[in-house]
Amino acid sequence: MAISSILDQQLDQRRNGEDCSFNGYLEDYLNLTDDLDEVLRESFTEILAKDENVKICVNLKAEVNRNAISNQIIRYKDIFKLAGKPIEYPYILYVAGDTEDRALLVVPYSKYSFIYAKGYYYCMTEPGSPFIDCKNEIVAVTSDKASRITDAYSKLFTMKAGALQRSIDRDYFKNYDELKALAVEAANKQKEEAPAVLTALEDRTAQIYRYVINWFLLKKVLYVQYMVNKNILNTVHEGNIKKQRNQAKTNADEIGFLSFSEMWRLTAPAEEEPEQES
């Protein structure tokens, strides 16, 4: 089934569903929402001006597939402690062409958002996902510039998805080692900030979920990105897929994190009592 057909079936509250927060024409979404950041609003408005038929699915919810091989191998058990459908794909622009459909998975920009965009893509297209047969119809993008998002959308039907994705990736990392270093850095920064952030919250549930999902996505990217690299398989591992798999797991294991239980047990540091005057 083409990706537009699958996404059209996702129900938002307007259709008495809870699959996503909005699903419909992009024009309607832009008229209804006030909380888009400037870059996304600018890019979405430009895309709509060129293609009035484009639709958008916002915060599409997804389960974590326990049976996916990559999820079993990276063995990040905390992700399976999250209830319901914890993964949410931020924005999916989609359109049906004359003979093919295309979708652009858009992730709001942050320093490491390009890694999370790849993680969302790998989750969205893994075995067991409704989108498993749509790999060649989906491209993931993030940017602090509207022009990069609109440029990616404009090329959806003129370039193969894989080639377009690789060209986008090159804006953020030159090779796997660079990607790995950035992923480890992202994980460590989150680990360092978590205690202060969580202990300041009255209800830390949503933030703990966010941290767990982010660490999962980082592990996912390091594992899958390594496994899909045929050059690494042939030049580093001499065609031995088992060796490649073992190294991919080792790479994913380098993602540091706080455990689910640790984050719940965190307590704010005790305030020092003021010195008494003698």
Side-chain angles (χ1 to χ4, degrees):
M1 186 182 295
I3 193 166
S4 291
S5 299
I6 299 173
L7 288 170
D8 273 334
Q9 295 174 5
Q10 310 307 309
L11 304 179
D12 59 21
Q13 291 181 347
R14 300 177 306 160
R15 293 190 286 173
N16 299 316
E18 298 182 348
D19 298 326
C20 53
S21 60
F22 181 90
N23 190 18
Y25 284 100
L26 179 59
E27 181 177 11
D28 295 337
Y29 180 69
L30 290 175
N31 289 331
L32 289 171
T33 188
D34 296 321
D35 59 357
L36 267 179
D37 70 42
E38 293 182 6
V39 170
L40 293 181
R41 180 167 290 279
E42 180 183 347
S43 61
F44 290 174
T45 300
E46 290 182 16
I47 288 170
L48 177 63
K50 297 177 181 179
D51 188 352
E52 62 182 12
N53 294 317
V54 63
K55 295 182 177 180
I56 187 169
C57 186
V58 181
N59 296 328
L60 176 63
K61 299 177 182 178
E63 295 178 345
V64 179
N65 184 0
R66 287 178 175 269
N67 297 320
I69 298 299
S70 61
N71 296 344
Q72 292 179 14
I73 291 177
I74 62 179
R75 292 180 61 80
Y76 181 45
K77 296 179 181 179
D78 285 349
I79 193 67
F80 300 118
K81 296 176 182 177
L82 307 187
K85 296 180 176 180
I87 293 179
E88 293 186 0
Y89 304 117
Y91 302 95
I92 307 173
L93 298 172
Y94 64 102
V95 63
D98 295 333
T99 59
E100 297 177 306
D101 291 3
R102 290 291 184 271
L104 188 67
L105 173 60
V106 183
V107 176
Y109 181 78
S110 65
K111 183 175 180 180
Y112 305 106
S113 57
F114 74 95
I115 309 178
Y116 298 125
K118 292 193 71 63
Y120 283 126
Y121 171 82
Y122 285 139
C123 289
M124 194 172 179
T125 58
E126 70 186 3
S129 165
F131 303 99
I132 178 61
D133 295 324
C134 304
K135 285 184 177 182
N136 296 323
E137 299 175 341
I138 306 169
V139 172
V141 68
T142 183
S143 183
D144 59 342
K145 297 179 181 178
S147 59
R148 287 189 175 182
I149 298 173
T150 56
D151 181 64
Y153 185 86
S154 70
K155 294 177 180 176
L156 286 177
F157 287 98
T158 61
M159 292 180 66
K160 290 186 176 181
L164 178 54
Q165 189 67 66
R166 287 189 293 274
S167 71
I168 293 170
D169 290 350
R170 283 193 290 270
D171 289 335
Y172 300 101
F173 61 95
K174 298 175 183 177
N175 51 46
Y176 181 86
D177 288 338
E178 189 172 312
L179 171 65
K180 178 183 164 187
L182 290 167
V184 170
E185 179 181 288
N188 289 338
K189 285 185 178 295
Q190 184 169 277
K191 185 178 178 181
E192 291 169 4
E193 75 168 36
V197 172
L198 293 173
T199 54
L201 297 173
E202 184 174 342
D203 181 359
R204 61 183 71 175
T205 305
Q207 187 62 46
I208 287 177
Y209 272 47
R210 189 169 298 114
Y211 282 146
V212 171
I213 290 168
N214 285 350
W215 281 318
F216 169 69
L217 293 175
L218 293 171
K219 284 176 170 286
K220 183 91 169 178
V221 169
L222 288 194
Y223 180 83
V224 180
Q225 185 77 8
Y226 197 83
M227 289 301 298
V228 299
N229 192 317
K230 292 183 179 179
N231 183 56
I232 287 177
L233 171 63
N234 294 322
T235 61
V236 177
H237 301 292
E238 300 175 332
N240 189 321
I241 191 72
K242 184 177 180 180
K243 289 182 178 180
Q244 185 184 29
R245 186 179 297 112
N246 289 340
Q247 184 59 51
K249 181 184 184 305
T250 298
N251 295 342
D253 288 344
E254 291 191 35
I255 295 298
F257 61 91
L258 295 177
S259 72
F260 193 68
S261 58
E262 276 183 291
M263 288 190 284
W264 279 113
R265 292 197 306 267
L266 287 169
T267 56
E271 294 184 7
E272 294 184 5
E273 293 185 7
E275 294 183 4
Q276 296 182 351
E277 295 183 5
S278 56

